Amino acid sequence: MTDDLRVTFPKPCSEDWNTMSRQGCNRHCSACDKTIHDLSQLTLDQAEELLKSEDEVCVRAEIADNGMVRLADSGSTTKRKLVAVAGASLSLALAACQTMGSNAVTPLYEISGATNYYEYDAVVTLTDQYGKVRTTKVRRDKSFRFTNLLPGTFTLTITRWCGDPVEETEIVVTEDDVSLGTLKWGENQCIIIGVMTPIGPGRG
């Protein structure tokens, strides 16, 4: 009897599969510039070859409660299966999934808020529990928003255009969007020492 192919998923990702550009049966993730392979379109042999072909393989995996990973039917009589080995990262990923009907659908949420005044080029940084970082700028209406988020714990930091962090907070996303309201923004002026040059045609 041949052993099952056992795998683990040490780096679950919160990128949205549906927004990725298509590459045949796979998708291209612009965040990491990698091809994401859809395991449901591969046979066990193909999945095994894929694991041997790259040092770090990114995949989309549909995992049942018993750990079985959905694969394409090879027509073979072999009873070998692709099995996800339980671990802390896998448990977190599975806890974020909710099955609706026959399709595995992962609910996605958003974190939004505003500052009490606008500052040019101020950056909002969102870091998840795996260390993945997203950034956006404070809009002219003083608001900011992060979408397509899986449940989890995030650290949000607002940094002024001169590099001074003025707000940092921990946010837990469970089963709903999170609205932070208006965050207090320090009003101390930034002080820059250095050369100043104009930006115009042929410059910058």
Side-chain angles (χ1 to χ4, degrees), residues 60-63 70 97-106:
R60 174 184 181 272
E62 296 181 37
I63 307 171
R70 181 185 172 192
C97 295
Q98 295 180 0
T99 301
M100 306 175 77
S102 60
N103 296 319
V105 178
T106 303

Side-chain angles (χ1 to χ4, degrees), residues 120-121 161 195-204:
Y120 174 74
D121 259 3
W161 67 273
V195 176
M196 181 175 74
T197 58
I199 297 177
R203 295 177 179 267

Side-chain angles (χ1 to χ4, degrees), residues 149-171:
L149 301 174
L150 290 169
T153 301
F154 300 84
T155 299
L156 183 138
T157 305
I158 301 177
T159 305
R160 301 182 68 184
W161 67 273
C162 62
D164 297 332
V166 295
E167 178 73 29
E168 183 170 297
T169 186
E170 184 176 281
I171 306 161

